[in-house]
Amino acid sequence: MKEVESMSRAEWQVMRIIWTLGQATSKQVIEILERKTDWKSATIKTLIGRLQKKNFLQADETNRPYVYKPLISENAAIHESVTELFDNLCCMKKGMAIDDLINNSEISQSDIVKIMQTLNQKVKTAPETVNCNCLEADLNEE
């Protein structure tokens, strides 16, 4: 699996455009990002080049202009990014982080229904409490 934690915020913006379009030329990415940001075309081309070096993008170089395609799916990148974030949190704080995310995110009613369905299934097998995992197991017992 690719290491999405190495993807910068700016590179995420490039990838989001390419994921949404399915594939894109640098001109398409530049046009979109120049409307959304104050970035220059050279900056955007540099970001595309970095994403290629990191193996997140592949250029079809058989014709000009080159067409860039993602080498990682958006869902896989999101999953890896969220997993990486949550691996850094205390087990006791993960629920609070999810609650904070829900309260501070614009999400659709259908997404809320899906989350509620997931929680209704999860509650059946969830432990009553979750132990802190911040210290070594033997240090927790002292």
Side-chain angles (χ1 to χ4, degrees), residues 50-62:
R50 285 184 192 160
L51 287 163
Q52 281 184 277
K53 286 182 183 152
K54 292 178 180 182
N55 290 317
F56 291 114
L57 282 182
Q58 178 180 6
D60 178 355
E61 298 177 0
T62 55

Side-chain angles (χ1 to χ4, degrees), residues 32-138:
I32 293 167
L33 285 174
E34 283 182 337
R35 286 194 308 264
K36 290 177 64 175
T37 68
D38 60 355
W39 302 346
K40 303 292 182 224
S41 64
T43 301
I44 298 165
K45 287 178 184 176
T46 298
L47 292 170
I48 291 170
R50 285 184 192 160
L51 287 163
Q52 281 184 277
K53 286 182 183 152
K54 292 178 180 182
N55 290 317
F56 291 114
L57 282 182
Q58 178 180 6
D60 178 355
E61 298 177 0
T62 55
N63 293 310
R64 289 231 179 220
Y66 294 166
V67 175
Y68 296 91
K69 297 177 183 178
L71 292 175
I72 184 172
S73 74
E74 184 174 19
N75 287 344
I78 290 169
H79 175 76
E80 188 177 329
S81 181
V82 168
T83 299
E84 174 72 20
L85 169 65
F86 274 74
D87 282 350
N88 291 319
L89 300 178
C90 172
C91 284
M92 293 174 60
K93 306 295 183 196
K94 290 180 181 181
M96 182 180 71
I98 293 167
D99 185 64
D100 185 65
L101 187 62
I102 290 169
N103 281 319
N104 294 299
S105 298
E106 186 175 344
I107 53 178
S108 70
Q109 290 182 6
S110 63
D111 285 340
I112 293 169
V113 168
K114 173 74 172 114
I115 292 165
M116 289 171 58
Q117 290 170 343
T118 301
L119 288 172
N120 284 329
Q121 287 301 312
K122 186 75 174 174
V123 75
K124 295 174 185 176
T125 59
E128 217 171 285
T129 61
V130 177
N131 294 325
C132 175
N133 65 333
C134 298
L135 305 174
E136 297 288 332
D138 56 332

Side-chain angles (χ1 to χ4, degrees), residues 21-35:
L21 297 174
Q23 63 183 31
T25 64
S26 60
K27 182 180 180 191
Q28 289 174 299
V29 175
I30 289 166
E31 286 173 356
I32 293 167
L33 285 174
E34 283 182 337
R35 286 194 308 264

